[in-house]
Amino acid sequence: DAMVIQNPRYQVTQFGKPVTLSCSQTLNHNVMYWYQQKSSQAPKLLFHYYDKDFNNEADTPDNFQSRRPNTSFCFLDIRSPGLGDAAMYLCATSSTHGQGKETQYFGPGTRLLVL
Amino acid sequence: AQKVTQAQTEISVVEKEDVTLDCVYETRDTTYYLFWYKQPPSGELVFLIRRNSFDEQNEISGRYSWNFQKSTSSFNFTITASQVVDSAVYFCALSESRGSTLGRLYFGRGTQLTVWP
């Protein structure tokens, strides 16, 4: 089945220790997104890739970076995690073509704990 | 400005009751998309439905139905004969269509639905 996969599902890191979260998709969608979701809140968009073009949200901290080496994979790098970065990180994909365009499909998420 | 309001923060029902989750949106665009997502305790956001602004037909899928009314800018979601497995947070969201340009997804704050056995 076509899907969005996130690894790991749970990640524990230490304060200030860089961490990378990964996302892959088999949907062949040209747009990939990273969201941060804290407890009892709606997902907050951090950035997205439209094909190879990177689009950062204005209020996304510099501590958060992303890489998209190819269509299928996208990574979220947190350079120096703080306690406030503990959250669920959701990856999503969408296509700008076709009948179901612009529908975002989400992965299962990675829960990040910062100690 | 785009905005999605889910006034109900939490709803509790007993199994087999019908429940309606409200969603009211604001947008200046004439072409847009509306969505409902379900987020169970596992955390994954599950896509339920997408509705185009020019298609006001209501939709039914099993126990789920959606009532889209442009006149009141509402896109309400009804679960008939609720089940314990329906317990989740439900998000309503809005996206604007701009041809080939990406439209952002604006989420409501979500409604926590608890279905008791």
Side-chain angles (χ1 to χ4, degrees), chain B residues 2-3 6 19 25 36 38-39 43 54-55 75 77 80-82 84 86 95 101 106 108:
Chain B
Q2 305 78 16
K3 185 178 178 181
Q6 295 180 255
V19 59
Y25 63 92
W36 276 96
K38 173 183 180 181
Q39 189 173 41
F54 45 86
D55 180 4
F75 186 44
F77 173 29
T80 303
S82 59
V84 173
D86 295 328
S95 173
T101 303
Y106 296 89

Side-chain angles (χ1 to χ4, degrees), chain A residues 58-109:
Chain A
D59 57 355
T60 298
D62 292 339
N63 198 28
F64 292 85
Q65 303 287 323
S66 185
R67 297 170 283 135
R68 189 180 185 185
N70 54 52
T71 301
S72 301
F73 285 87
C74 195
F75 299 98
L76 169 62
D77 300 310
I78 308 177
R79 293 191 297 185
S80 181
L83 298 178
D85 295 329
M88 171 74 93
Y89 290 89
L90 294 162
C91 174
T93 72
S94 72
S95 174
T96 53
H97 313 289
Q99 188 174 4
K101 69 176 184 178
E102 298 198 35
T103 298
Q104 293 189 23
Y105 296 93
F106 287 80

